[in-house]
Amino acid sequence: MSTDAGTMPNGQTTANGQTTVDGEAASDTTSTVSHPTLQTFSLDDLAQYTAEGAFGPTASPDFRMFYVGRDDVHGVLMHLLTRVSLSVEMNMFGYDDDALNAVLLGLVRNANVVVQVTLDKSQAAGPAERAILSSDEASDAAGFANDFAIGTSATDQISHTKGGILDGIVAFEGSTNWSSSGEGTGITLNATKQVAGFKAQNNTLSVYVNPYEIAKFAARLKYEHGVAANQRQPDLSEATTTASDGED
């Protein structure tokens, strides 16, 4: 974080912006603002993205459920992904969210974060997904090759898992695809009527912190990634019409 240097009493500002006092360099007392992480995460942090703005007294200590078209599901996902500092393990079917992709790509470039992303072959071939992924590959070919795997299930069916584990602390999973309508992006909470053009599919997103379920999900995500990584990876520059027009 950079700040503008000011002139202290009996001091002067040098050409490089350093303040001196009586010819001696002043000590740097600028404090670094800490970036929020998942190390102090609580499920209650996500109440701000619900229509109610709070969770009830009988809410589970282990998980919360969010509803596309009623809650700000895109906000929930952004809240979680932007606080990652250790690892991402995920599988996603529909992958058409530029903002979430940008966060993931930033994590790919962070040497302190381990990223493992599995995507469905048929969906990745669609024009929207292919544009995002080909751009990712072009901007960081090595990182993309190391961290992304595109393929099918072990029995050559679609890879339909829609979820992940972040920092080994919190997991998300549900029917929500990463797309504008899939997440209901742009929702105004508690509005009697949304803005013109707002679209929201009927989807859910669960967020949970139960260690047992996270461990089981992590094992499955590793398996699904290994299956996809061992398949021939598609040429994202090739035009194709094999992808479905809509999301499941």
Side-chain angles (χ1 to χ4, degrees):
M1 181 179 70
S2 62
T3 57
D4 293 332
T7 302
M8 299 176 65
N10 303 318
Q12 61 183 3
T13 303
T14 62
N16 63 5
Q18 184 180 38
T19 300
T20 63
V21 179
D22 295 331
E24 298 294 331
S27 60
D28 184 6
T29 59
T30 303
S31 61
T32 301
V33 178
S34 60
H35 182 73
T37 74
L38 294 175
Q39 303 305 308
T40 56
F41 174 74
S42 167
L43 287 171
D44 288 340
D45 297 342
L46 303 178
Q48 62 186 302
Y49 303 106
T50 66
E52 297 82 7
F55 296 118
T58 58
S60 167
D62 288 337
F63 83 97
R64 300 285 189 273
M65 186 71 76
F66 302 89
Y67 303 90
V68 172
R70 187 176 192 277
D71 300 318
D72 183 3
V73 170
H74 177 76
V76 170
L77 290 169
M78 287 293 291
H79 182 105
L80 296 174
L81 268 294
T82 56
R83 285 162 172 76
V84 167
S85 60
L86 180 64
S87 62
V88 175
E89 296 176 271
M90 61 170 283
N91 193 343
M92 187 53 55
F93 186 67
Y95 192 83
D96 181 20
D97 187 315
D98 290 313
L100 290 173
N101 175 70
V103 174
L104 265 184
L105 196 59
L107 295 174
V108 168
R109 293 168 174 159
N110 186 339
N112 294 317
V113 180
V114 177
V115 178
Q116 173 191 291
V117 179
T118 311
L119 299 173
D120 176 69
K121 182 179 179 180
S122 64
Q123 282 298 119
E129 283 89 346
R130 191 173 66 250
I132 291 174
L133 296 172
S134 61
S135 176
D136 290 349
E137 186 178 42
S139 64
D140 188 351
F144 185 86
N146 286 335
D147 299 343
F148 282 72
I150 301 171
T152 65
S153 75
T155 58
D156 200 30
Q157 302 303 297
I158 61 175
S159 185
H160 206 240
T161 302
K162 305 172 187 177
I165 300 171
L166 309 176
D167 284 1
I169 294 172
V170 56
F172 65 92
E173 205 275 334
S175 63
T176 299
N177 286 296
W178 280 15
S179 69
S180 180
S181 62
E183 302 164 46
T185 305
I187 190 172
T188 301
L189 295 176
N190 290 320
T192 56
K193 185 177 181 180
Q194 297 297 322
V195 298
F198 173 76
K199 294 181 180 180
Q201 300 172 8
N202 291 335
N203 282 327
T204 58
L205 180 75
S206 63
V207 178
Y208 57 93
V209 295
N210 183 275
Y212 175 75
E213 295 299 339
I214 287 177
K216 288 181 64 179
F217 194 21
R220 189 64 191 177
L221 288 171
K222 287 180 174 67
Y223 171 77
E224 292 174 355
H225 188 79
V227 169
N230 281 317
Q231 297 171 5
R232 182 179 180 273
Q233 295 301 291
D235 184 348
L236 296 170
S237 65
E238 293 179 352
T240 180
T241 58
T242 59
S244 59
D245 293 332
E247 297 172 344
D248 293 329

